[in-house]
Amino acid sequence: IANAVAAPADMGGPGAAFYGIFTHAKFIVVDDYVALVGSANINDRSLKGDRDAEVGVKIVGGTYARRLRERVLEGHTGNASMIDPNRLVSSMNFVAALNAKELYDKMGIKFPEGTFTQAGQTEQFLGLKGLVSLPSMQPDDAFAKLKYPESLIVAGGGGLDTFHWFVVKYASPPNLHGLLFPWSRA
């Protein structure tokens, strides 16, 4: 997920600023009836039971599962009513595609592809050296606006004490529907 906001002069503007958001949430909602919230990752370290200590809570019945789903979708889309739970993937993809188009139209950014177009010139703005190896992407940092690891901080949201932006001078901030963007580069 990602966001873009107006960038005043003290943030490198005037213009619009883009930043990625890295989420680390672990929960499952099933049929608005069961919610499982826990700390385990889907890997051997968490699931074999011989390394990390994990905890999980299962809530069955009542309104908690539905309210959790609605609240998370509200945070990701800005309006949970845009998501049809019976067509969850396709309706989330629709919102993500709207946001991707708006980000490109207003700021010239294609995320997660990591390209930036301004004045008819398209270039890589996220340095991907050592991160990806896809034929459609150039992993070399030589021509990237943001070199690795700075590109990872901007695209991944940094951390609690590190927050970086990619500012597009004189661009208008996009009118996004929450923070949801396509998740695949392919």
Side-chain angles (χ1 to χ4, degrees), residues 40-52:
N41 292 302
I42 306 298
N43 62 27
D44 285 351
R45 208 175 82 194
S46 289
L47 299 177
K48 281 180 107 175
D50 60 356
R51 290 186 62 194
D52 290 355

Side-chain angles (χ1 to χ4, degrees), residues 14-52:
F18 167 85
Y19 60 97
I21 301 169
F22 177 76
T23 59
H24 194 78
K26 299 165 186 164
F27 68 92
I28 297 171
V29 174
V30 180
D31 296 335
D32 285 350
Y33 183 73
V34 176
L36 178 62
V37 181
S39 63
N41 292 302
I42 306 298
N43 62 27
D44 285 351
R45 208 175 82 194
S46 289
L47 299 177
K48 281 180 107 175
D50 60 356
R51 290 186 62 194
D52 290 355

Side-chain angles (χ1 to χ4, degrees), residues 16-19 107 109 116 125 145-146 154 164-168:
F18 167 85
Y19 60 97
M107 294 180 69
I109 292 174
F116 167 67
F125 85 93
K145 291 253 187 215
L146 296 174
V154 171
H164 297 227
W165 308 83
F166 179 72
V167 176
V168 178

